[in-house]
Amino acid sequence: MHRAPLLVPSALALSLTLWAAAASAANFQITPISLPSGTKITGTIQTDGSTGPLSAANFTAWSITVRSTEALLYNPSQPGAPELTGVAVSADGRRLLVRRSPDGVADGGTLRFGSVWPLERYVTVATYAGYTAASGGQSSYVNGAQFEWQWFGDPSGGSHQVATAAAGSAVFRLIPVVYPSGTTLTGTITTDGGTGVISAANITDYRLKVQTVSEVTYLRTATSGNSSVLPNTNGVSSDGTQLLVARPGGYLGFGVPPAGSRRGEGRCWPTLAPQRPAEAKPVTSTPSPWSTSP
């Protein structure tokens, strides 16, 4: 998989009851937790077998996976215009086709939607142009620093079918493309009903969705790990078969505690003259208008 790293929260909090599934009182399996955003939490937690109130020192190992999904939507209301070269509708009006490279060297066709520049946010349904000609074509998506691609590995010559329409309909439904991470491209493309070679002018609507998938695992074994029990963990106990978190007020969290702020970090001053770093300002973020929960 070729993907830019995705930013994830620095701490995972599980303020919930975790039920033991194994015979040993020291090994607990998390009852799968599904959050409204589409995030799912699964995994296992191991303690030293103590019962009664537990502290961070009683947790000896864990493997907790956070699996998140996000829907990236592409439609005409967003910047950019359809890009079509070597795209055609079959004579029966049922198949949307992209021309392959004729010989693995010369360019084939491209079907792309979105903005390539200056805002890099687009989805390439299929392309056989440039370096992709030699590798049998490719589908890809880009959402800023987030991107991924899938090779088709098609032979040279002929065309690649990307979508199908019902008889008498000009609405073509994409043949789903599954990327290495499990991310899936689906959606519809609507034309003016013409057949043969078409251009962007023949596209009357498109509604595409890239359903992304990302996973982060918080891990600790006897010899290594990438996380710890968070210091504000409290109100946790075990009766030997269950891990219990007091309600209200209890907290059980695993992750990397956020580092304290450091003055001037990340700044580049325009001169070498002595200067006092400006006070750090909080950084805030807002949801992208192009992403929705599935």
Side-chain angles (χ1 to χ4, degrees):
M1 177 181 72
H2 301 270
R3 276 182 95 176
L6 297 179
L7 295 178
V8 298
S10 62
L12 167 65
L14 302 178
S15 302
L16 297 164
T17 298
L18 310 177
W19 299 92
S24 170
N27 295 284
F28 301 87
Q29 182 171 328
I30 301 172
T31 301
I33 303 165
S34 296
L35 304 181
S37 63
T39 297
K40 188 171 185 177
I41 303 171
T42 58
T44 58
I45 298 173
Q46 183 181 84
T47 72
D48 58 9
S50 299
T51 57
L54 302 180
S55 67
N58 296 119
F59 293 91
T60 56
W62 54 84
S63 177
I64 303 170
T65 297
V66 180
R67 187 178 191 271
S68 301
T69 61
E70 179 185 17
L72 306 177
L73 306 180
Y74 299 81
N75 58 64
S77 70
Q78 299 161 2
E83 178 186 343
L84 285 75
T85 57
V87 179
V89 174
S90 61
D92 63 3
R94 301 285 304 277
R95 296 179 297 144
L96 187 61
L97 308 167
V98 178
R99 187 181 70 245
R100 298 169 180 159
S101 168
D103 55 9
V105 178
D107 284 351
T110 294
L111 178 58
R112 180 180 292 122
F113 299 89
S115 172
V116 177
W117 182 261
L119 176 66
E120 289 189 302
R121 189 182 185 282
Y122 60 88
V123 58
T124 302
V125 177
T127 183
Y128 295 83
Y131 69 91
T132 68
S135 300
Q138 178 196 93
S139 175
S140 65
Y141 70 91
V142 175
N143 183 49
Q146 183 180 4
F147 63 92
E148 192 172 10
W149 61 79
Q150 175 63 55
W151 295 106
F152 293 138
D154 288 346
S156 299
S159 297
H160 177 89
Q161 181 178 350
V162 296
T164 303
S169 173
V171 179
F172 291 85
R173 189 168 298 278
L174 289 187
I175 297 171
V177 177
V178 180
Y179 298 94
S181 69
T183 293
T184 304
L185 168 62
T186 59
T188 60
I189 300 170
T190 305
T191 72
D192 58 9
T195 59
V197 176
I198 62 172
S199 68
N202 300 110
I203 302 295
T204 62
D205 192 24
Y206 57 93
R207 306 284 165 173
L208 307 181
K209 180 172 75 170
V210 174
Q211 188 78 31
T212 68
V213 177
S214 63
E215 286 191 355
V216 177
T217 298
Y218 296 81
L219 183 67
R220 174 65 59 186
T221 68
T223 57
S224 64
N226 62 5
S227 54
S228 60
V229 180
L230 295 183
N232 52 338
T233 290
N234 70 90
V236 182
S237 63
S238 174
D239 62 4
T241 60
Q242 301 175 78
L243 279 179
L244 304 170
V245 180
R247 189 173 57 182
Y251 179 89
L252 175 56
F254 299 84
V256 180
S261 61
R262 289 179 288 178
R263 292 166 59 89
E265 183 178 21
R267 292 185 179 272
C268 180
W269 301 108
T271 73
L272 297 179
Q275 299 187 49
R276 179 179 177 178
E279 292 293 332
K281 296 182 179 180
V283 177
T284 60
S285 62
T286 56
S288 166
W290 293 307
S291 96
T292 68
S293 295

